[in-house]
Amino acid sequence: MKRVLKEGDQRGVSINLISTEKLDELGSEKIRFILDQVKEGRVLVLEKGLSPSEELDLIRITMSEIDHDSFIGVETPGFTGNVVRLGLLQRLLGRTPPPRMMVVGPAHLLKTIKKDGRTIQAMILTRDDRDRYEDEIDITSEEEPQGPPGETEEE
Amino acid sequence: MGFFNALMKGLKGLFRKKQMSIGIYGPPNAGKTTLANRISRDWTGKPLGKASEIPHETRKARERKEIIIKAAGSKVNFNIVDTPGIATKIDFHDFVEDHGMDKKEARTWAKEATEGVIEAIKWLDKVDGVLLVMDAAQDPFNQVNVTLIGNLEARKLPTVIIANKIDLEESSPATIRDAFPQHATIPISALSGYGMDNLYKAMIKYFG
């Protein structure tokens, strides 16, 4: 008889892809939903990532819920909109870059290996052997980086 | 100095707060407390807190008031707030395995560290500007840096990025500058004091 694989009876990690529509529906419950899922050991791929203030809320609430035995925090590799370089006119008009794709997972299972403005490399560690990296997520941004802004920093 | 510049400086002085509260922010082990101590020692002769290689050594925010910094022909009165390092995860096992703590001590340390992160986030509502400290020998695109930058920009808080630890051979302040070109980046070594004159000028310019 063919065995049906169910979440929880296997060695792997559940990866849930959450659409923009679902995230928008959640509204103010978004952070609670994400944390509940992550605390149950799931890795979430958010089609639309979190805003900077939502990311800070996620960190703050995560810190208040760390119990040092079953939950040590979150790993959140993602393309944050603010890294996208806006042109001078866009910035003068006060345009904020929209949140972009983000992965959120439990820190004991998900590890960011490399991240720059266009590529994120993360690995999912198996429950049985965290020293061996068995699964890998590689997200590459399709967006070309825009030119440098009109204003540059100075020393 | 021309008449216009003198007029602008005078007007700016009229509307300037008596004391600017500047938060020192960043991930753990970026050198925040070493920088806070350097600034405090340079202008008051006294350090602000204990710095160490153990992550989350600073688990409560520390404030030193009345630090009067003089640079570029101006002086500004600052309150400097050294905040706990912001992190997305804290595992007490790291303190046991990497720093030789016993389990009880490590659990307490980790618990205090989580509370410190929350306190640091709360301080964002009280500061007038931020020195965002990054380790110039590490990848600047870590989630804490990116999240902080996003929040500082959303709050329109004046921000100066500190590319710290440039005394290390593998440091690359240019990588930080390229990652966040919209902000002033000042390369320093808080440990040796290299670059502090430039930092004080930048503090007067962006926060004064």
Side-chain angles (χ1 to χ4, degrees):
Chain A
M1 193 173 96
K2 188 177 176 183
R3 183 172 180 269
V4 179
L5 189 66
K6 292 178 185 170
E7 185 184 354
D9 66 358
Q10 77 309 78
R11 291 173 53 192
V13 174
S14 173
I15 299 176
N16 293 7
L17 278 67
I18 313 295
S19 68
T20 298
E21 290 77 15
K22 170 75 176 173
L23 290 166
D24 287 345
E25 272 174 25
L26 287 163
S28 61
E29 295 298 311
K30 196 191 298 183
I31 303 299
R32 187 69 266 157
F33 169 82
I34 291 169
L35 258 181
D36 287 346
Q37 295 282 310
V38 168
K39 287 173 80 173
E40 288 178 16
R42 300 188 182 99
V43 173
L44 307 184
V45 180
L46 310 182
E47 185 181 18
K48 184 177 79 173
L50 303 176
S51 69
S53 64
E54 288 172 334
E55 284 184 41
L56 207 58
D57 276 347
L58 178 65
I59 294 174
R60 181 177 54 77
I61 298 169
T62 295
M63 287 298 128
S64 68
E65 298 191 8
I66 285 177
D67 64 13
H68 305 295
D69 289 315
S70 60
F71 180 58
I72 60 164
V74 295
E75 184 82 0
T76 58
F79 295 111
T80 300
N82 295 68
V83 172
V84 178
R85 297 172 186 179
L86 295 177
L88 178 61
L89 182 61
Q90 290 169 304
R91 286 191 292 132
L92 285 174
L93 292 172
R95 180 177 171 243
T96 305
R100 302 163 74 195
M101 180 186 280
M102 175 183 269
V103 181
V104 188
H108 72 287
L109 292 178
L110 184 66
K111 183 173 176 59
T112 305
I113 304 300
K114 185 185 169 191
K115 180 178 177 183
D116 59 33
R118 297 181 62 192
T119 305
I120 295 169
Q121 187 181 15
M123 287 187 174
I124 296 172
L125 284 64
T126 61
R127 289 172 194 269
D128 293 340
D129 185 358
R130 293 184 195 168
D131 295 330
R132 290 178 56 212
Y133 300 143
E134 290 190 353
D135 301 304
E136 182 174 325
I137 301 174
D138 204 338
I139 309 166
T140 301
S141 166
E142 292 177 357
E143 189 168 337
E144 289 293 325
Q146 298 173 21
E151 291 175 10
T152 54
E153 53 72 28
E154 59 182 299
E155 288 183 25
Chain B
M1 183 185 292
F3 172 74
F4 183 73
N5 282 346
L7 182 65
M8 290 305 290
K9 195 173 176 181
L11 286 172
K12 201 174 172 184
L14 278 177
F15 294 106
R16 182 188 294 154
K17 286 177 70 173
K18 274 189 173 179
Q19 288 179 329
M20 298 292 291
S21 196
I22 304 300
I24 300 181
Y25 276 85
N29 280 116
K32 297 180 294 301
T33 302
T34 306
L35 174 62
N37 284 342
R38 173 67 62 180
I39 295 172
S40 187
R41 275 202 190 97
D42 280 355
W43 301 100
T44 71
K46 292 177 283 188
L48 216 160
K50 182 188 173 191
S52 85
E53 291 182 358
I54 305 174
H56 302 285
E57 175 68 58
T58 303
R59 300 183 299 289
K60 283 186 186 295
R62 283 183 286 242
E63 185 177 18
R64 169 72 29 95
K65 295 186 175 180
E66 301 276 346
I67 294 183
I68 298 167
I69 292 180
K70 298 173 191 169
S74 299
K75 67 175 179 180
V76 178
N77 193 341
F78 290 106
N79 294 339
I80 299 292
V81 185
D82 179 26
T83 68
I86 291 183
T88 62
K89 58 192 171 195
I90 296 170
D91 185 356
F92 83 91
H93 294 97
D94 293 342
F95 305 118
V96 175
E97 290 159 16
D98 301 339
H99 301 286
M101 291 184 192
D102 64 45
K103 280 191 177 178
K104 189 180 175 188
E105 184 188 9
R107 278 176 175 274
T108 303
W109 190 278
K111 171 78 177 149
E112 290 173 356
T114 61
E115 292 163 358
V117 174
I118 295 169
E119 188 190 9
I121 291 171
K122 283 182 184 166
W123 264 98
L124 275 176
D125 294 332
K126 301 184 213 167
V127 296
D128 303 304
V130 165
L131 294 173
L132 179 51
V133 185
M134 300 184 188
D135 182 339
Q138 301 285 326
D139 175 11
F141 283 106
N142 69 65
Q143 201 61 31
V144 169
N145 286 346
V146 171
T147 300
L148 277 172
I149 288 273
N151 277 274
L152 298 174
E153 289 176 355
R155 292 163 186 250
K156 300 193 188 317
L157 276 174
T159 301
V160 173
I161 295 176
I162 309 297
N164 192 24
K165 305 191 185 183
I166 62 166
D167 51 299
L168 298 178
E169 198 176 327
E170 64 271 28
S171 69
S172 174
T175 305
I176 294 175
R177 190 172 285 153
D178 290 346
F180 307 107
Q182 67 274 38
H183 295 285
T185 298
I186 310 295
I188 67 160
S189 166
L191 196 62
S192 71
Y194 180 86
M196 291 303 291
D197 287 345
N198 286 335
L199 173 56
Y200 295 137
K201 286 177 193 165
M203 288 176 72
I204 297 284
K205 180 176 178 180
Y206 293 100
F207 304 142

